[in-house]
Amino acid sequence: MRGAEPLVHCLTNSVVRQITADVLLAAGAAPAMVDHPDEAGDFAAVASGVLINVGNPTTEQIEGMHAAIASARDHGTPWVLDPVAVGGLALRTGLATGWLDHGPAAIRANASEIVALAGAGAGGRGVDSTHDVAVALAPALSLAERTGGIVAVTGPQDIVVTNSGGSTIATWVTSGHPLLQKVIGTGCALGAVTAAYLGAARTAGLPDHDAVVAAHAHVGAAGTAAGRVAAGPGLFAVAWLDALYTLTPEEIADTVTLLDASP
Amino acid sequence: MRGAEPLVHCLTNSVVRQITADVLLAAGAAPAMVDHPDEAGDFAAVASGVLINVGNPTTEQIEGMHAAIASARDHGTPWVLDPVAVGGLALRTGLATGWLDHGPAAIRANASEIVALAGAGAGGRGVDSTHDVAVALAPALSLAERTGGIVAVTGPQDIVVTNSGGSTIATWVTSGHPLLQKVIGTGCALGAVTAAYLGAARTAGLPDHDAVVAAHAHVGAAGTAAGRVAAGPGLFAVAWLDALYTLTPEEIADTVTLLDASP
Amino acid sequence: MRGAEPLVHCLTNSVVRQITADVLLAAGAAPAMVDHPDEAGDFAAVASGVLINVGNPTTEQIEGMHAAIASARDHGTPWVLDPVAVGGLALRTGLATGWLDHGPAAIRANASEIVALAGAGAGGRGVDSTHDVAVALAPALSLAERTGGIVAVTGPQDIVVTNSGGSTIATWVTSGHPLLQKVIGTGCALGAVTAAYLGAARTAGLPDHDAVVAAHAHVGAAGTAAGRVAAGPGLFAVAWLDALYTLTPEEIADTVTLLDASP
């Protein structure tokens, strides 16, 4: 990833733009936030990956998202959907549901959002999840089949599933730290890192599934490392950025447990 | 507060959304920024508390604020008004003045903003205050009488007043640290923490006045703690978040001086 | 600068508003973000300096920028143009090019943006620069002549040029640290600090050129100091803010190398 330095076009919510950009820089990618409808299509055409995060959208940004998704499809740019708080709020639920048919390379969300997006439940309260990750496995497989892309469910353990072309893969990723839940934007930034890894993997001819697993492993391992030195969320956020920057692939592999649970 | 984990709906300015969310998480609340007019009313109905902060509004966000305030009133959700830079700028002065008649549970501001909102002066320059807190006592009592809610004036010492139903209470809160003025959003985040404490207090059947005092004590005590370890605003902000997360109620009480100055 | 505490009106992109405000506070200025078209003109009239940063604009913010620039000109407030990603995206390229005739006191950008803004090339990819600073010298002199203001090109070495009224000055500023490129908003914040120094210098009757050099020296020296204690971007950002706050003018002068390269 660091060698490729993929350019990631983020259309994300206004709460987490700074930390999302800082995380991408620390992880070895190049961030750019381009939301205006007159610019978003042009930029998605040249980016390595695109993130669409529906947390706190504006009417104008939604137009930019439509333009970016259409351009990403036309130019073969992988795009990631983060359906923040879908299920609980009608506007974004309608948007995210409609975009399922536009070929997201990956969907990244918590369990409640995946359950809601798959039409199987009512969602959580905002960014919180009121469901266990395991409960979201069947809805995730259903979404992966419908979109043809990867679906990643983030929680105490993450699960990454592929279910297309007759192939079903499910990988459990165990890493992270509870303080990741006490810093805003860690999940949203993971969506951006997922877009970065997808962009780098496509360039290198590697599978999308492995890219999404690698993104979750990198972010989670950095959380584990930060949790070793920090007792509160302030220092944790600082140490997490540093670990995203300094961890080697070997250190990430030593920190994270991967489990193949393909059916 | 931490046990209740109140859900705080923030409609706040774009400069401080990230730190406001981080402060709420550190203090034990669950933040959600939902500004779109199509979503803000629905969300205010289910939130424990709502923050309306008029710093740097957009036309669309102002529509969302109107929707959130109306919904908060209808559903009995306590809402907090932070009249940033009111007095100096006409648009937000008109908005904040109009909302005085919509039952804010609390107003949190610096002395210049309270003086201007009460119609007694011309305001400061942006987020700075050019008035002493003591000068704002009479205007604060006037605003508290008019709205029926609490009014909190933030400064080197804070004062929290109630003046409704024949009852007048004034509490001085002495805590904090000068470096709080050198980190953007500490005052704005205090408005959000005030909404969180009001939400938790209402659930527990405790008085609003005590909730607002507790919010100021928690935020101020964390500032005092951070000031013990930090010489500049960078490390101070980190240590402040950590202290918001780790301070016990006993440590807060030991750090803060409360003085009943009811007339 | 710290004695003057200039009020800086920032119309900047939504990714970097928090860090821009924190940097201004740490450097001794007072930040205020006022984007609404109904307020931006009034505020630019009373500010000491104005920053116009075209990264990720909204339609409404663009109206605010037009109002702020017009008001700044009318009231003699120095304003700084940061043409983020100009060259690569049509909307902002049109805006920035049009504003060249509205008397910016300074333009601050990376080499690719300066090359593109001068009409000499196609720009970089987003905030990255694909050109060396030296390549931008001739385009920078051309822009400085056209606008009558200062042009600063930021890179591993910065160059600050003046080229008006028959006088040509070029100053190389050597300072900083590579980790400045791994924290979002360091360049954008430098634009804001430039507006702050210009405001303070005008009040004190000092030359604009010296103010822009001083801004780059202050920000760069803080980067050098932070690089001595930090190995990753998380701690670097914290230490950089602290150094902006604590460095004395003498320490800045000892850290930075200035070279007069006037032709």
Side-chain angles (χ1 to χ4, degrees):
Chain A
M1 229 279 276
R2 287 191 184 115
E5 203 183 346
L7 178 61
V8 183
H9 178 191
C10 302
L11 297 101
T12 191
N13 74 75
S14 54
V15 187
V16 303
R17 283 180 196 156
Q18 182 180 311
I19 193 168
T20 298
D22 277 330
V23 164
L24 286 171
L25 285 170
M33 278 63 176
V34 180
D35 290 308
H36 198 287
D38 291 355
E39 298 189 330
D42 287 348
F43 205 77
V46 301
S48 301
V50 174
L51 169 69
I52 303 290
N53 173 306
V54 299
N56 205 22
T58 66
T59 299
E60 186 165 288
Q61 191 196 31
I62 290 168
E63 290 179 47
M65 290 176 173
H66 286 302
I69 291 170
S71 175
R73 289 192 76 184
D74 288 347
H75 294 86
T77 311
W79 71 276
V80 174
L81 176 63
D82 191 332
V84 180
V86 156
L89 291 163
L91 172 64
R92 61 187 75 182
T93 303
L95 288 171
T97 305
W99 287 329
L100 293 179
D101 299 322
H102 290 67
I107 300 171
R108 189 222 68 84
N110 68 36
S112 291
E113 291 155 355
I114 292 295
V115 167
L117 191 59
R125 50 169 215 172
V127 296
D128 291 345
S129 180
T130 53
H131 291 86
D132 282 336
V133 171
V135 171
L137 179 55
L141 286 166
S142 162
L143 281 174
E145 187 176 17
R146 175 169 171 190
T147 62
I150 319 292
V151 175
V153 191
T154 309
Q157 289 184 306
D158 309 322
I159 185 156
V160 178
V161 305
T162 297
N163 192 18
S164 65
S167 163
T168 302
I169 317 173
T171 309
W172 286 90
V173 183
T174 307
S175 65
H177 190 274
L179 279 172
L180 283 167
Q181 305 297 320
K182 295 295 178 188
V183 177
I184 201 72
T186 54
C188 295
L190 173 53
V193 173
T194 300
Y197 268 92
L198 282 167
R202 294 270 179 105
T203 303
L206 298 171
D208 281 6
H209 187 90
D210 295 358
V212 177
V213 170
H216 283 68
H218 190 171
V219 167
T224 306
R228 288 194 198 108
V229 300
L235 187 57
F236 180 86
V238 171
W240 181 59
L241 283 169
D242 283 347
L244 283 166
Y245 183 72
T246 57
L247 282 180
T248 63
E250 293 71 31
E251 289 171 325
I252 294 171
D254 287 348
T255 306
V256 177
T257 303
L258 300 182
L259 177 67
D260 179 12
S262 304
Chain B
M1 229 277 279
R2 288 191 185 114
E5 203 182 347
L7 178 61
V8 182
H9 179 190
C10 302
L11 297 102
T12 191
N13 73 76
S14 54
V15 187
V16 303
R17 284 181 195 155
Q18 181 179 311
I19 194 168
T20 298
D22 276 331
V23 164
L24 285 171
L25 284 170
M33 278 62 178
V34 180
D35 290 308
H36 198 286
D38 291 355
E39 297 189 330
D42 288 348
F43 205 78
V46 300
S48 301
V50 174
L51 169 69
I52 303 290
N53 172 306
V54 300
N56 205 21
T58 66
T59 299
E60 185 165 287
Q61 191 196 33
I62 290 168
E63 290 178 48
M65 290 175 171
H66 286 303
I69 291 170
S71 175
R73 290 191 76 184
D74 288 348
H75 294 85
T77 311
W79 71 276
V80 173
L81 176 63
D82 190 333
V84 179
V86 156
L89 292 162
L91 173 64
R92 60 188 74 183
T93 303
L95 289 170
T97 305
W99 287 330
L100 293 179
D101 299 321
H102 290 67
I107 300 170
R108 188 221 69 83
N110 67 36
S112 290
E113 292 155 353
I114 293 295
V115 167
L117 191 59
R125 49 169 215 171
V127 296
D128 291 346
S129 180
T130 51
H131 290 86
D132 283 336
V133 171
V135 171
L137 179 54
L141 286 166
S142 162
L143 281 173
E145 185 175 19
R146 175 170 171 189
T147 63
I150 318 293
V151 175
V153 191
T154 310
Q157 288 184 306
D158 309 322
I159 185 156
V160 177
V161 305
T162 297
N163 191 17
S164 65
S167 163
T168 302
I169 317 173
T171 309
W172 286 89
V173 183
T174 306
S175 65
H177 190 273
L179 279 172
L180 282 167
Q181 305 297 320
K182 294 295 177 188
V183 177
I184 201 71
T186 54
C188 294
L190 172 54
V193 173
T194 300
Y197 269 92
L198 282 167
R202 293 270 180 105
T203 303
L206 299 171
D208 282 6
H209 187 90
D210 294 357
V212 177
V213 169
H216 284 68
H218 190 171
V219 168
T224 306
R228 288 193 199 110
V229 299
L235 187 56
F236 180 86
V238 171
W240 181 59
L241 283 169
D242 283 347
L244 284 166
Y245 182 72
T246 56
L247 282 180
T248 64
E250 293 72 28
E251 289 170 325
I252 294 171
D254 287 348
T255 306
V256 176
T257 303
L258 300 182
L259 176 66
D260 179 12
S262 304
Chain C
M1 229 276 279
R2 288 190 184 114
E5 203 182 348
L7 178 61
V8 183
H9 178 190
C10 302
L11 297 101
T12 191
N13 74 76
S14 53
V15 187
V16 304
R17 283 179 197 156
Q18 181 179 311
I19 193 167
T20 298
D22 277 330
V23 164
L24 285 171
L25 285 170
M33 277 65 176
V34 180
D35 290 308
H36 199 287
D38 291 354
E39 298 188 331
D42 287 349
F43 204 77
V46 300
S48 301
V50 175
L51 169 69
I52 303 290
N53 173 307
V54 299
N56 204 23
T58 65
T59 299
E60 185 165 286
Q61 191 196 33
I62 290 168
E63 290 178 48
M65 290 175 172
H66 286 303
I69 292 170
S71 175
R73 288 192 77 183
D74 287 348
H75 294 86
T77 311
W79 71 277
V80 173
L81 175 63
D82 190 334
V84 179
V86 156
L89 292 163
L91 173 63
R92 61 187 74 181
T93 303
L95 288 171
T97 304
W99 287 329
L100 293 179
D101 298 322
H102 290 67
I107 300 171
R108 188 222 68 86
N110 68 36
S112 290
E113 291 155 353
I114 292 295
V115 167
L117 191 60
R125 50 169 215 173
V127 295
D128 292 346
S129 179
T130 52
H131 291 87
D132 283 335
V133 170
V135 171
L137 179 55
L141 286 165
S142 162
L143 281 173
E145 186 176 16
R146 176 169 170 189
T147 62
I150 318 293
V151 175
V153 192
T154 310
Q157 288 184 306
D158 309 322
I159 185 155
V160 178
V161 305
T162 297
N163 192 17
S164 65
S167 163
T168 303
I169 317 172
T171 309
W172 286 88
V173 182
T174 306
S175 65
H177 190 273
L179 279 172
L180 282 167
Q181 305 297 319
K182 296 294 177 189
V183 176
I184 201 70
T186 53
C188 294
L190 172 53
V193 173
T194 300
Y197 269 92
L198 281 167
R202 293 271 180 104
T203 303
L206 299 171
D208 281 5
H209 187 92
D210 294 357
V212 177
V213 169
H216 285 67
H218 190 172
V219 167
T224 305
R228 287 194 198 110
V229 298
L235 187 57
F236 180 86
V238 171
W240 182 58
L241 283 169
D242 283 346
L244 283 166
Y245 183 72
T246 56
L247 283 179
T248 63
E250 293 72 28
E251 289 170 325
I252 294 171
D254 287 348
T255 306
V256 176
T257 303
L258 300 182
L259 177 66
D260 179 12
S262 303

